[in-house]
């Protein structure tokens, strides 16, 4: 019993060290001039957006982040956290919504997160999503190809000025869950 428990602890420690972001790429008009930084240990990344802005005149913006996550043999799932940082200035008659669809490259969406800011509001904000990503059997390679389809929108009276920006997206790998991977 103790040996099995110690083996699981050792495997967990091994998994936490080796699950990594292999790459991060972006597509979409809201992220054309964005920059990406991946840490040396490849466990966190930051995207800085220059033009992820919605206003009363341009009420929708979209960006798709594509992440390749590498899993070692004994690891089957990893908990992740994505923090969205920005600024919103909304009058009484405005609300802004961020929708993030988390899915795999085959189009299967496994979780949708919606966050709404209702006016009156004028301040910086941070919104966090915690998501569990499973290792997929993509040609039996130990990689999960994850897409985050991020859309921000602004609704309300067209004559009322307002804006919402997404200035940064921070992604991090938290803890890894052990389990026999089955194709």
């Amino acid at each position: 019993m103790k040996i099995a428990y110690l083996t699981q602890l050792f495997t967990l420690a091994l998994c936490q060290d080796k699950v990594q972001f292999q790459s991060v790429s972006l597509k979409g008009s809201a992220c054309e001039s964005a920059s990406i930084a991946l840490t040396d240990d490849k466990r966190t990344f930051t995207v800085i957006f220059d033009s992820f802005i919605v206003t009363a005149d341009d009420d929708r913006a979209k960006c798709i982040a594509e992440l390749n996550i590498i899993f070692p043999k004994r690891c089957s799932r990893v908990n992740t956290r994505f923090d969205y940082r920005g600024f919103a200035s909304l009058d009484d008659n405005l609300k802004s919504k961020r929708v993030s669809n988390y899915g795999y490259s085959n189009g299967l969406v496994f979780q949708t997160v919606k966050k709404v800011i209702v006016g009156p509001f004028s301040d910086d904000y941070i919104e966090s999503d915690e998501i569990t990503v499973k290792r997929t059997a993509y040609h039996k390679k130990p990689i999960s190809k994850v897409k985050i389809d991020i859309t921000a929108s602004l609704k309300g009276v067209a004559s009322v000025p307002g804006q919402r920006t997404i200035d940064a997206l921070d992604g991090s790998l938290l803890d890894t869950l052990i389990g026999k991977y089955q194709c």
Side-chain angles (χ1 to χ4, degrees):
M1 190 74 141
K2 284 185 179 182
I3 292 174
Y5 178 73
L6 290 173
T7 302
Q8 281 188 338
L9 284 177
F10 177 73
T11 304
L12 180 60
L14 234 132
C15 289
Q16 285 179 337
D17 290 339
K18 293 190 178 180
V19 174
Q20 299 177 330
F21 291 110
Q22 180 184 41
S23 63
V24 179
S25 60
L26 304 169
K27 294 179 183 176
S29 60
C31 50
E32 287 176 349
S33 58
S35 61
I36 303 167
L38 189 60
T39 58
D40 290 340
D41 66 358
K42 296 188 177 187
R43 305 257 317 145
T44 59
F45 71 87
T46 297
V47 176
I48 304 294
F49 296 104
D50 287 342
S51 57
F52 207 134
I53 301 169
V54 290
T55 64
D57 296 330
D58 189 9
D59 64 351
R60 193 173 195 82
K62 184 174 183 167
C63 180
I64 297 173
E66 295 180 338
L67 317 172
N68 286 334
I69 302 174
I70 300 174
F71 286 84
K73 282 185 182 179
R74 294 185 181 194
C75 301
S76 59
R77 298 178 303 279
V78 64
N79 291 328
T80 60
R81 187 163 112 188
F82 300 97
D83 294 326
Y84 297 82
R85 295 180 282 131
F87 175 79
S89 177
L90 307 171
D91 284 344
D92 273 335
N93 297 319
L94 290 176
K95 72 177 181 178
S96 179
K97 179 168 56 174
R98 174 190 51 90
V99 177
S100 296
N101 291 308
Y102 295 88
Y104 297 109
S105 61
N106 65 3
L108 174 69
V109 173
F110 58 86
Q111 189 164 348
T112 297
V113 177
K114 297 176 184 178
K115 303 281 175 120
V116 177
I117 300 173
V118 178
F121 183 90
S122 184
D123 206 350
D124 294 323
Y125 69 87
I126 185 166
E127 299 170 335
S128 297
D129 301 345
E130 292 200 6
I131 308 294
T132 299
V133 175
K134 294 179 182 176
R135 178 178 164 187
T136 58
Y138 187 76
H139 298 289
K140 300 201 181 208
K141 292 181 182 177
I143 296 176
S144 283
K145 296 177 182 246
V146 177
K147 288 172 100 172
I148 309 172
D149 187 342
I150 309 160
T151 305
S153 61
L154 193 67
K155 301 272 187 220
V157 180
S159 61
V160 176
Q163 75 170 15
R164 176 184 182 145
T165 66
I166 298 177
D167 300 326
L169 167 61
D170 301 312
S172 57
L173 298 169
L174 302 175
D175 54 339
T176 305
L177 306 170
I178 305 167
K180 182 172 170 77
Y181 175 69
Q182 298 178 4
C183 297

